[in-house]
Amino acid sequence: MNDTREDAVPGSLIAQYLSRRTFLGGLGVTSALAGSMGLSMRRAWAQQMPASSLAFDELAHGLDVTFHVAPAHTSQVLIRWGDPVYADAPAFDPANQSAAAQERQFGYNNDFVAFMPLPPLSRKSNQGLLCVNHEFTNPRMMFPGLTSGLQAKIEGAAGVTAQTLLGQMPDLTREQVEIEMAAHGHSIVEVKFHNGAWKVVTDSPFNRRFSMLSTPMRISGPAAGHARLKTSADPEGIKVIGTLNNCAGGVTPWNTVLIAEENFNFYFSGDPASTAEAGNHKRYGIAPDKARFQWARYDERFNVEKQPNEPNRFGWVVEIDPYNPKSMPVKRTALGRFKHEAAAVAIAPDGRIAVYTGDDERFQHVYRYVSTGKFDAGNREANMTLLDDGVLSVAKFEKDGRLIWMPMIWGQGPLTRENGFASQADILIETRRAAELLGATRMDRPEDIEVNPVNGRVYLVLTGNDKREEAQIDAANPRARNSFGHILELMPPGADAQASNHAADEFHWNVFLLAGDPSDTGAGARYHPETSKDGWLTTPDNIAFDSRGRMWIATDGANDNGFADGVWATDVDGPGRALTRHFLNVPRGGEMCGPCFTPDDTTLFVAVQHPGQEPGSTYDTPSTRWPDFDAALPPRPAIVAITSKGKPIGG
Ligand code: FEO
Ligand code: CA
Ligand code: CA
Ligand code: CA
């Protein structure tokens, strides 16, 4: 483990001066030069430079009913829960909702956002398809007349910070349950920038709603058709209706979108103890006291006693082709089954595809898939099967700074029949158990993971783990009762984005920052020493990079520290490395998701999730009515577009 400030900052600084880091052989050489300079000399160099490349004035930490962005930037609410996805969608009428209407309207709790330019493969930044996940529903904020009930935390998944109101389920009607199902999934809407504002093109032929109620999806890869994926509705185990709890995601080089099924366990009721899947379901948190939805009351596929294999059809990465409105989404089983947070794709120098994914639960693991086949820029169709055949590996972070990718291949090491794995499909269905047997590093809740487009390094966001004891500390998870989270930097061999070998068996790794309040000596936080009183953050969750490789960090859980979630931005190299600056606040009770830039960085799309979700807040008595501030409307999750008079976001 290396310190973020002393080693890497001066190394990159020198690299900037010399402007020939690749020629010199990359980080190793520049760090060695830095090491030979001495501390006082390094500080003197640093003082001559403006610390951060980010030129905006910081916001203050604060908590109120509305949305704030740094000066010189404009924010526009682009699309909200209930807004039309199709031209014929009924107007949003929250007192008279229906599942049929919801299937034509934008879903609930927008999370991941991808901007896919139109035309495809262009860098066009004023017209494109916005692809948005709808992660979960909260009936108390969606339907009138429900009481707030007891406050509860989603055990394991929400950890220390994300309080939810899903703890005690209110009684829901069949129609309300079907509205919930319809509000899950994904939306694709064409968007255009015209006369200084973004608008949704409701009559675009590309617009689509994918819902948990009615959208068929194909299952592919080694576990497709396996006996453990067969149900009475799908005796072949190859087709499933819907996708659940889609959190973050990623975009492939062949311009498809990957969406990650996360906390699928909360939707299943019944006791799996007497079924053949008892151990498997227990490991993923399916238990009578873990259910957070009432869907099994009206649909027996959510009752594990009746359909014990149904949960095995969730927890996958799903691939969507937004440019083909007739295409069927595909669940790619080769990438493993767990509580996927995201999926970041990179191309290795030999053309193989790497997909990085993390399992968002305390003490779970980080994975990487490497395709057998190679990316072919001239043959999109051929790329459509790259995620069906490859090697899944799981990460072991060594204290000497090496990161070992351990392959999860049937018949190798402990992944054998003796340990209950009859084939590769069993490893992919019970990925967590296989990872444990291999001795993978148990992490502090892996949330987003992204590949930096400039330096080629991979950034892994750990949102926190209040259950880690002193005795469980390791180099990559260095704090006990980690309430604040941290960000790791994974370094494949190779000096820059082009040379980075994302298929290598061994990487190196570094701590990028340890979140929390740097003025609180007990917090063990670590940033750039010039981080301001508003520049520190907590519980990092989703990240995005702009085209200059600067990191934009969205948080989930800052409300617990008395201020709003939002976005903080930082350089990753140079004198501003790990100097986080506060850019944006969401309304109280909300979480920040989905930061996503247009290719030219002039628009930043963000997703405000569950505004007003906090103790005592309901549809009838919300703590905010953002974004409409209309007494007849509840708060609504919404996508916000941020611009800066045509200039790149953040200066
Ligand atoms: Fe949906 Fe891991 O947050
Ligand atoms: Ca998340
Ligand atoms: Ca991201
Ligand atoms: Ca989170």
Side-chain angles (χ1 to χ4, degrees):
M1 179 177 61
N2 296 316
D3 186 286
T4 42
R5 286 162 284 181
E6 298 298 296
D7 292 335
V9 172
S12 299
L13 182 65
I14 292 164
Q16 277 193 354
Y17 272 82
L18 298 178
S19 294
R20 52 192 178 116
R21 185 165 127 180
T22 308
F23 173 73
L24 288 168
L27 199 67
V29 172
T30 51
S31 292
L33 277 172
S36 71
M37 284 183 73
L39 191 58
S40 58
M41 198 172 163
R42 285 192 255 167
R43 288 204 170 118
W45 276 60
Q47 279 162 7
Q48 290 166 23
M49 299 281 291
S52 176
S53 75
L54 291 146
F56 62 84
D57 292 334
E58 282 195 89
L59 288 187
H61 284 165
L63 184 65
D64 65 24
V65 296
T66 197
F67 183 100
H68 300 274
V69 65
H73 294 80
T74 305
S75 64
Q76 175 205 342
V77 175
L78 176 59
I79 186 165
R80 306 157 293 187
W81 169 48
D83 283 345
V85 167
Y86 299 104
D88 65 358
F92 182 58
D93 181 357
N96 297 289
Q97 298 177 50
S98 73
Q102 180 64 84
E103 288 217 295
R104 315 293 291 166
Q105 300 165 333
F106 199 62
Y108 203 75
N109 269 346
N110 33 219
D111 199 308
F112 174 71
V113 179
F115 177 83
M116 306 295 285
L118 280 173
L121 295 172
S122 73
R123 305 265 313 155
K124 240 180 125 181
S125 294
N126 60 0
Q127 185 175 11
L129 304 177
L130 215 56
C131 303
V132 181
N133 280 346
H134 301 296
E135 187 184 22
F136 70 98
T137 48
N138 181 348
R140 289 196 178 84
M141 302 305 296
M142 293 171 71
F143 305 123
L146 302 175
T147 55
S148 70
L150 287 179
Q151 184 70 16
K153 291 182 173 186
I154 290 184
E155 183 64 28
V160 292
T161 55
Q163 294 260 330
T164 79
L165 293 169
L166 303 173
Q168 269 215 340
M169 296 181 286
D171 284 339
L172 299 182
T173 64
R174 174 183 288 273
E175 182 72 25
Q176 286 172 324
V177 163
E178 291 184 352
I179 292 165
E180 285 196 287
M181 292 179 182
H184 277 73
H186 192 83
S187 292
I188 298 175
V189 287
E190 183 177 336
V191 292
K192 252 187 193 165
F193 190 74
H194 187 61
N195 284 342
W198 284 96
K199 72 174 178 87
V200 174
V201 183
T202 49
D203 60 357
S204 167
F206 293 106
N207 291 7
R208 286 177 85 178
R209 256 318 307 282
F210 304 80
S211 93
M212 192 53 212
L213 194 59
S214 66
T215 309
M217 313 208 163
R218 186 164 69 82
I219 300 170
S220 77
H226 190 276
R228 299 174 73 182
L229 265 60
K230 293 177 179 172
T231 64
S232 55
D234 175 27
E236 290 182 87
I238 53 169
K239 207 177 207 184
V240 56
I241 300 295
T243 180
L244 275 179
N245 208 267
N246 301 90
C247 199
V251 173
T252 69
W254 51 98
N255 285 300
T256 60
V257 172
L258 303 179
I259 64 175
E261 294 188 321
E262 195 190 7
N263 297 301
F264 60 88
N265 58 316
F266 296 134
Y267 299 82
F268 292 94
S269 302
D271 189 346
S274 62
T275 73
E277 295 290 332
N280 174 28
H281 290 342
K282 183 169 182 220
R283 193 174 297 273
Y284 286 93
I286 294 173
D289 62 339
K290 295 273 169 66
R292 296 286 182 259
F293 291 84
Q294 297 186 349
W295 297 4
R297 276 172 68 167
Y298 303 108
D299 187 344
E300 75 161 36
R301 78 167 165 138
F302 299 102
N303 180 342
V304 289
E305 293 171 37
K306 297 207 165 119
Q307 297 293 339
N309 286 344
E310 189 67 31
N312 291 342
R313 295 144 65 79
F314 296 90
W316 304 106
V317 169
V318 185
E319 185 171 12
I320 292 175
D321 181 359
Y323 294 115
N324 178 359
K326 296 212 170 358
S327 60
M328 186 182 283
V330 185
K331 299 199 177 188
R332 300 288 184 192
T333 64
L335 277 63
R337 175 175 167 272
F338 43 90
K339 295 185 180 179
H340 282 281
E341 169 75 19
V345 189
I347 308 177
D350 68 2
R352 283 182 292 164
I353 292 296
V355 186
Y356 298 94
T357 61
D359 185 349
D360 181 8
E361 192 163 319
R362 288 176 291 220
F363 298 113
Q364 289 302 326
H365 309 108
V366 180
Y367 300 85
R368 182 195 63 180
Y369 167 89
V370 176
S371 65
T372 303
K374 294 178 178 179
F375 172 64
D376 180 349
N379 187 351
R380 187 170 191 246
E381 204 47 44
N383 299 323
M384 292 289 188
T385 53
L386 285 175
L387 304 186
D388 282 339
D389 180 16
V391 175
L392 186 67
S393 301
V394 64
K396 187 167 193 190
F397 292 83
E398 302 283 10
K399 62 175 183 288
D400 63 4
R402 285 177 308 137
L403 163 55
I404 313 295
W405 291 107
M406 300 185 292
M408 309 177 81
I409 298 173
W410 184 67
Q412 292 189 8
L415 307 183
T416 58
R417 219 175 273 281
E418 291 68 47
N419 282 319
F421 299 104
S423 68
Q424 186 68 22
D426 283 331
I427 293 170
L428 298 172
I429 293 166
E430 293 187 78
T431 308
R432 281 187 172 179
R433 190 165 72 85
E436 276 171 41
L437 284 167
L438 286 165
T441 305
R442 303 171 78 213
M443 309 300 290
D444 284 349
R445 290 189 59 202
E447 291 260 23
D448 208 354
I449 187 162
E450 289 277 353
V451 182
N452 187 299
V454 175
N455 67 20
R457 292 177 224 148
V458 183
Y459 292 82
L460 167 66
V461 181
L462 290 316
T463 204
N465 180 353
D466 59 337
K467 294 276 197 281
R468 187 176 293 274
E469 305 285 346
E470 299 283 348
Q472 296 172 302
I473 287 174
D474 59 39
N477 300 277
R479 287 185 288 183
R481 288 168 293 285
N482 176 11
S483 306
F484 304 114
H486 57 291
I487 301 179
L488 299 182
E489 181 177 55
L490 319 184
M491 296 171 284
D496 59 22
Q498 279 65 44
S500 292
N501 185 3
H502 292 280
D505 296 336
E506 197 173 303
F507 287 18
H508 282 84
W509 68 272
N510 227 350
V511 173
F512 181 71
L513 65 77
L514 299 173
D517 181 354
S519 72
D520 171 1
T521 49
R526 202 167 73 201
Y527 305 82
H528 189 290
E530 288 171 35
T531 303
S532 78
K533 68 179 180 17
D534 300 304
W536 66 270
L537 59 102
T538 179
T539 48
D541 188 334
N542 298 141
I543 57 171
F545 292 105
D546 61 25
S547 61
R548 293 163 67 181
R550 304 183 299 187
M551 182 191 291
W552 296 73
I553 307 164
T555 66
D556 168 17
N559 280 210
D560 290 4
N561 289 275
F563 56 92
D565 279 317
V567 172
W568 282 255
T570 178
D571 295 322
V572 298
D573 282 309
R577 176 176 159 96
L579 177 47
T580 48
R581 295 173 56 77
H582 185 191
F583 180 69
L584 182 161
N585 278 341
V586 299
R588 60 180 310 143
E591 166 184 349
M592 181 84 296
C593 299
C596 169
F597 288 92
T598 50
D600 66 0
D601 298 333
T602 59
T603 296
L604 172 63
F605 297 103
V606 293
V608 177
Q609 205 186 51
H610 56 72
Q613 180 176 287
E614 55 187 319
S617 188
T618 67
Y619 177 104
D620 301 297
T621 58
S623 61
T624 175
R625 290 190 188 274
W626 185 88
D628 304 290
F629 296 106
D630 177 334
L633 295 172
R636 293 202 264 177
I639 302 293
V640 178
I642 296 161
T643 52
S644 182
K645 296 198 171 72
K647 296 198 293 261
I649 300 299

